[in-house]
Amino acid sequence: MPEYKGMVQPTRASVAEMRKIYIEPVPDELKPEKAIEFLDQIRKKFRSFVLAMESCTKCGQCAENCHTYLGTRDPNNIPANRAELIRKIYKRYFTPEGRWFGKLVGAEDITLDVIEQWYSYFYQCSQCRRCAHVCPFGIDTCEVTFIGRQILHWLGITPKLHATTGAAMEKAGNHTALPKPGIVDTLKFMAEEVMDEFGVEVEFPVDKPGSDILYIPSSADFLLNPYTLMGAGMFFTYIGANWTIPSAVTEAGNFGFLFDQFWTQRGNVMRLLNAAQELGVKKIVWGECGHGWRAAKMYIPTLADRPVRWPLTHIHDEIANLICNNELKLDPSKNSKPVTLHDPCNYVRACGLNDNMRVIMNACVTDFREMSPHGADNFCCGGGSAILFDDPEMYRRRILFSKKKAEQVRATGVGRDGDGILCAPCSICKAQLYPMVEEHELGVEVKGLIDLVGKALVWK
Amino acid sequence: MKLLIGQILPYITVTLFTLGILYRLGRWAGARIVHNITLSPWLQTSGQVALRVGSEAFLFRNLFRFDKALWAGALLMHFALLNILVGHIVGFSFLGKQFALIPGLGITPELSKKMSDLLGSVFGIVLFVALLYLLYRRFAKDTVKFVTKPSDNLWLIYLLVLVGMGDIMRLVPDFHIEYVLVRDYIAALILFQPVVHMELLNSVFFLAHLLLVQILLIVFPFSKLMHFFGMFAERYIVNRVYHDTAPGLPNIEVATARKAGLGVPAGDAAGEGGVSCAGV
Ligand code: HEM
Ligand code: SF4
Ligand code: SF4
Ligand code: SF4
């Protein structure tokens, strides 16, 4: 169902698919009343949500700062209005002013149409937090869409993409439903590739007992971004690490974060902790995935059901640290094409990876050009929070969402001669940008950051 | 009328305002900060947090960075408002002679009174004009129009009327009100003494101004004006100190690994040198 009363919507998970992730969809006639019940439960828990509901002055500054509004000019894609879709209900049922003054303060009764609006516009938000970054009060619309999506999920409304990915994670330990034999085979093949292309002998140990380091790659790196995983393998080999990839969790992402933080996200966290315990590792190192890294770094401490014994860092942190200690020999001239960096939102606004990415970049390439704006001010690629829907309607929206990014890339001039590199070290950014650089004819190739490290390492 | 607005309502206003604020703050406190959603780049010390929150609260840092016109309008409005609020308290308590009390400046009470009048007039006008600009903006700028609800415009109009009344009393000599009358009135209210007989309450402008202020205070806790508290509560969630987990991998000796030629098929020896930590 790509449209509902003129609103674009992603294809929904079927009842059977919802049941697979333990949700019994609520019948339509009960949805409005159940929505209020769920909203009431959840609003009492999250202060970030309550404050977003109760302290926006409607100054409108967030509008021009959200790439979804810039791309579509759809008023409901203005962050303050996106939040208003739930705020109007919140006001009507949970605040005195909304009960007494109704329309005057923008309060509204709940209906099925409102719920459908939620589904459309909360899944057009890429949860990039640029609105929180620019709001004079720091109001975080991402918190609103987290909760909106959670309520939708409990009602039984979840995009097929998210629901099936959540189910795959539970079944196979990764989003692409790749089973262990497939993983082992792919890694063997990858080792051969590394040999052929770089002349380097690399082993990708899986479930190796007694390892020191647990590396969590993005499952997309097995198929779509092989150079990222190859780069990680070369890096760990180069430094002589005793590392392993756990077959139980071959996934840096955590789609639960994006539609169901109560069960799916938590389930994935426990799965990781179990794996770390079983393999007896000393440290967990995360691969390239924006939302996944945020879900791990910032949420494991509050989602874990036991003390977390393993320090958790991102592979960029570790590489940058070794670069700063002068322990890696890198030859930037091996990456001599013009490169620009797309800052994954989750890295720069939620995980503090800003500087480290630049340490690595400057050490690995010769012609690095910053976008404007960049760092914490950067705009999202338009695919964030996995709104990577392929239904024609949604796909068209994705092109619009990436318009701002395309302008930014073009302005750097890296693609002028058609041989530029757009470094986007996040699996979702990559998945969004692979087609988008074609749609916008940017003349660049999309790569990860570890890809560039792997290529620049000097072995002898 | 005088009895209602001048004598009874003030006590009701203060009670409702206080209880309302407590109710709202209590609601916020009841919900928890569940996960760490601090915005990065990380602030490293409480000093940095204070600086960030302070510059947002008093200089409107984000508005400055992302929308200069709004920054100018909003800052002028709030700065004038702050001065007027403080001015009301200080001016009436000291009858305009407050500046004479600052030692070492040699300001006479008469001069102080003049300064007080001047400042009041200037900020009164600035506030009015800034409010007009903000109202204009709500209709002139599409993005703002799209997010505006009727109550947003009403608030601005309401404040314009409220401030307008005040400005008339200040600027039109016929309607001017002496500080001392107001001081005595407030003092009487505080001491729970009757005020109905007071000459002050014969001024229609004063009564209207007073009524509008009281309605504002009663509605305050249930309105967008709560952003005064909301701002600090929200910043308390998104601007906090955060320290990254230290990097450093267990049992790693890069030099040894390189000497052993790990990864190098033919077993060539490792090279020398390295790349420095550039750019940051
Ligand atoms: C530290 C305290 C305060 C801060 C940081 C603050 C900040 C802000 C900001 C950033 C805006 C958005 C800009 C705008 O829409 O003009 C705003 C709007 C507003 N503030 Fe404040 N404010 C504070 C206190 C107050 C107080 C005490 C009042 C009491 C009347 C007030 C009244 C308003 C009004 C009426 C608006 C809406 C203006 C409009 O509709 O355009 N503010 N405030
Ligand atoms: S920037 Fe903040 S206060 Fe202004 S409209 Fe957007 S969410 Fe509301
Ligand atoms: S989180 Fe990003 S996409 Fe969502 S409303 Fe805010 S700025 Fe827009
Ligand atoms: S997909 Fe990439 S750019 Fe976009 S929200 Fe994630 S991290 Fe942001």
Side-chain angles (χ1 to χ4, degrees):
Chain A
M1 195 202 305
E3 276 200 43
Y4 176 94
K5 297 195 179 171
M7 294 181 285
V8 295
Q9 291 183 333
T11 307
R12 295 163 200 231
S14 65
V15 173
E17 281 162 339
M18 290 309 289
R19 285 188 181 140
K20 253 193 206 141
I21 46 177
Y22 313 102
I23 290 291
E24 188 60 37
V26 174
D28 276 357
E29 64 277 12
L30 289 180
K31 276 191 176 109
E33 99 191 45
K34 278 284 168 195
I36 296 299
E37 190 185 314
F38 297 152
L39 181 59
D40 194 25
Q41 285 169 16
I42 213 163
R43 77 173 173 104
K44 291 182 178 140
K45 294 196 176 116
F46 289 84
R47 194 184 299 165
S48 53
F49 176 74
V50 173
L51 286 169
M53 292 294 105
E54 301 197 7
S55 44
C56 170
T57 58
K58 312 292 175 64
C59 72
Q61 175 170 247
C62 44
E64 307 267 356
N65 285 297
C66 171
H67 61 286
T68 71
Y69 178 66
L70 291 177
T72 62
R73 295 286 160 185
D74 180 338
N76 282 331
N77 273 329
I78 295 175
N81 276 351
R82 199 191 306 285
E84 191 69 23
L85 296 175
I86 206 160
R87 193 186 284 117
K88 63 188 180 185
I89 304 304
Y90 177 93
K91 277 207 172 132
R92 163 66 185 80
Y93 293 90
F94 307 120
T95 69
E97 64 269 31
R99 278 196 209 106
W100 298 332
F101 297 108
K103 279 262 174 297
L104 189 69
V105 295
E108 199 179 302
D109 285 337
I110 183 112
T111 59
L112 214 47
D113 282 356
V114 172
I115 295 173
E116 296 295 337
Q117 270 183 328
W118 292 357
Y119 185 52
S120 174
Y121 289 100
F122 294 163
Y123 279 101
Q124 292 186 55
C125 169
S126 63
Q127 308 189 320
C128 71
R129 303 185 84 200
R130 198 166 193 277
C131 45
H133 178 68
V134 306
C135 171
F137 311 126
I139 291 173
D140 195 346
T141 304
C142 174
E143 292 293 302
V144 178
T145 59
F146 276 156
I147 278 166
R149 289 176 177 197
Q150 185 72 55
I151 293 171
L152 287 168
H153 179 64
W154 284 337
L155 292 173
I157 309 177
T158 304
K160 193 184 195 71
L161 173 66
H162 290 68
T164 51
T165 304
M169 183 72 195
E170 198 193 8
K171 189 154 163 278
N174 59 60
H175 290 167
T176 34
L178 204 63
K180 181 168 177 179
I183 287 164
V184 173
D185 279 355
T186 311
L187 288 173
K188 271 213 188 89
F189 174 73
M190 230 174 237
E192 287 163 21
E193 283 287 293
V194 173
M195 191 58 182
D196 290 350
E197 205 171 325
F198 300 99
V200 174
E201 226 169 42
V202 166
E203 202 199 327
F204 293 90
V206 176
D207 292 337
K208 192 177 104 199
S211 301
D212 293 328
I213 299 163
L214 195 67
Y215 180 62
I216 309 294
S218 166
S219 64
D221 295 355
F222 289 93
L223 306 163
L224 296 171
N225 328 309
Y227 284 94
T228 304
L229 191 44
M230 281 152 59
M234 284 192 272
F235 165 69
F236 284 124
T237 306
Y238 187 94
I239 62 171
N242 176 17
W243 68 299
T244 194
I245 294 172
S247 66
V249 189
T250 40
E251 183 55 75
N254 188 339
F255 270 38
F257 183 52
L258 311 171
F259 72 95
D260 176 22
Q261 301 190 346
F262 281 73
W263 191 83
T264 310
Q265 185 184 2
R266 185 179 287 254
N268 292 345
V269 168
M270 299 326 152
R271 195 181 175 106
L272 172 77
L273 299 184
N274 291 348
Q277 175 115 24
E278 247 158 59
L279 293 167
V281 299
K282 300 195 173 68
K283 189 164 191 176
I284 303 174
V285 175
W286 220 258
E288 285 187 354
C289 175
H291 84 275
W293 179 227
R294 181 177 181 207
K297 179 183 174 107
M298 306 310 285
Y299 283 67
I300 287 178
T302 35
L303 279 177
D305 60 359
R306 71 197 84 154
V308 180
R309 296 192 288 118
W310 307 273
L312 191 67
T313 51
H314 194 275
I315 188 165
H316 294 171
D317 293 330
E318 300 297 347
I319 295 175
N321 180 47
L322 289 170
I323 290 175
C324 289
N325 294 343
N326 262 323
E327 299 201 70
L328 300 185
K329 196 174 166 197
L330 295 156
D331 178 5
S333 69
K334 293 192 193 169
N335 292 305
S336 59
K337 293 176 183 170
V339 185
T340 187
L341 173 65
H342 160 63
D343 287 278
C345 316
N346 282 297
Y347 285 177
V348 289
R349 282 191 284 275
C351 293
L353 260 180
N354 201 334
D355 289 349
N356 282 346
M357 283 192 288
R358 283 165 176 79
V359 168
I360 299 172
M361 192 57 101
N362 285 319
C364 291
V365 312
T366 49
D367 183 4
F368 172 44
R369 304 181 199 169
E370 287 279 17
M371 281 182 205
S372 168
H374 62 260
D377 293 347
N378 190 35
F379 281 96
C380 173
C381 61
S385 80
I387 49 176
L388 300 164
F389 307 111
D390 280 331
D391 343 52
E393 287 306 320
M394 293 305 290
Y395 184 78
R396 228 167 293 147
R397 285 256 144 165
R398 280 170 59 195
I399 299 178
L400 299 177
F401 293 162
S402 60
K403 219 173 91 188
K404 184 72 196 177
K405 183 88 286 160
E407 284 166 21
Q408 282 183 283
V409 175
R410 212 172 275 125
T412 63
V414 293
R416 201 161 288 141
D417 302 326
D419 70 340
I421 291 177
L422 171 57
C423 176
C426 152
S427 278
I428 288 177
C429 303
K430 288 171 195 162
Q432 161 79 345
L433 291 170
Y434 286 143
M436 290 309 137
V437 298
E438 305 297 329
E439 298 286 355
H440 297 285
E441 300 176 0
L442 295 177
V444 295
E445 196 188 342
V446 178
K447 284 187 182 297
L449 187 52
I450 319 176
D451 311 31
L452 303 175
V453 175
K455 210 166 165 203
L457 281 172
V458 178
W459 292 83
K460 34 183 185 194
Chain B
M1 213 51 175
K2 284 194 260 181
L3 178 70
L4 196 66
I5 301 172
Q7 180 83 69
I8 302 174
L9 194 57
Y11 298 113
I12 299 177
T13 302
V14 170
T15 313
L16 288 181
F17 178 74
T18 315
L19 291 179
I21 300 263
L22 287 177
Y23 162 73
R24 278 293 274 274
L25 295 184
R27 257 164 82 114
W28 296 353
R32 291 190 310 125
I33 303 173
V34 182
H35 303 295
N36 188 342
I37 62 163
T38 313
L39 285 164
S40 70
W42 313 126
L43 301 173
Q44 294 295 308
T45 62
S46 334
Q48 284 177 2
V49 172
L51 210 65
R52 171 64 59 84
V53 177
S55 61
E56 294 290 2
F58 300 110
L59 303 174
F60 295 7
R61 174 179 177 270
N62 262 352
L63 295 186
F64 182 77
R65 289 189 337 133
F66 296 100
D67 188 343
K68 295 273 193 299
L70 173 57
W71 173 77
L75 193 71
L76 275 180
M77 191 275 273
H78 285 86
F79 186 66
L81 180 72
L82 176 74
N83 276 278
I84 286 170
L85 291 180
V86 174
H88 274 67
I89 296 167
V90 178
F92 291 135
S93 334
F94 296 103
L95 302 178
K97 299 185 184 115
Q98 61 273 17
F99 299 112
L101 299 177
I102 307 172
L105 293 183
I107 296 172
T108 61
E110 291 71 39
L111 180 62
S112 170
K113 179 87 181 7
K114 281 218 180 74
M115 289 168 64
S116 191
D117 282 347
L118 184 69
L119 283 174
S121 304
V122 169
F123 283 122
I125 294 166
V126 169
L127 178 56
F128 193 83
V129 173
L131 283 167
L132 267 185
Y133 167 71
L134 291 175
L135 185 62
Y136 160 79
R137 184 177 166 274
R138 289 217 171 263
F139 290 94
K141 203 170 171 213
D142 268 350
T143 50
V144 193
K145 201 156 80 186
F146 290 147
V147 301
T148 299
K149 293 277 176 271
S151 59
D152 298 314
N153 293 326
L154 275 181
W155 266 122
L156 287 169
I157 295 168
Y158 190 94
L159 286 171
L160 277 167
V161 175
L162 196 168
V163 174
M165 299 273 181
D167 283 353
I168 289 175
M169 287 186 285
R170 164 153 298 283
L171 300 172
V172 182
D174 283 352
F175 302 117
H176 189 65
I177 285 178
E178 286 305 324
Y179 290 171
V180 64
L181 296 180
V182 182
R183 186 191 64 178
D184 294 346
Y185 167 68
I186 307 264
L189 277 183
I190 293 174
L191 298 172
F192 293 98
Q193 287 164 357
V195 296
V196 185
H197 62 280
M198 288 188 170
E199 171 199 336
L200 176 71
L201 297 186
N202 293 332
S203 160
V204 176
F205 282 104
F206 181 80
L207 266 190
H209 189 72
L210 183 65
L211 179 63
L212 289 178
V213 169
Q214 300 194 68
I215 295 174
L216 179 134
L217 289 177
I218 291 171
V219 185
F220 190 104
F222 308 99
S223 75
K224 68 188 279 197
L225 300 185
M226 276 301 281
H227 71 275
F228 173 70
F229 297 97
M231 190 244 141
F232 293 98
E234 180 75 55
R235 293 262 160 224
Y236 179 67
I237 301 177
V238 296
N239 293 133
R240 9 185 82 204
V241 172
Y242 186 90
H243 296 295
D244 278 319
T245 305
L249 294 169
N251 301 327
I252 296 294
E253 278 180 51
V254 185
T256 318
R258 293 328 310 140
K259 219 172 243 138
L262 290 184
V264 182
D268 293 80
E272 72 293 329
V275 175
S276 66
C277 177
V280 174

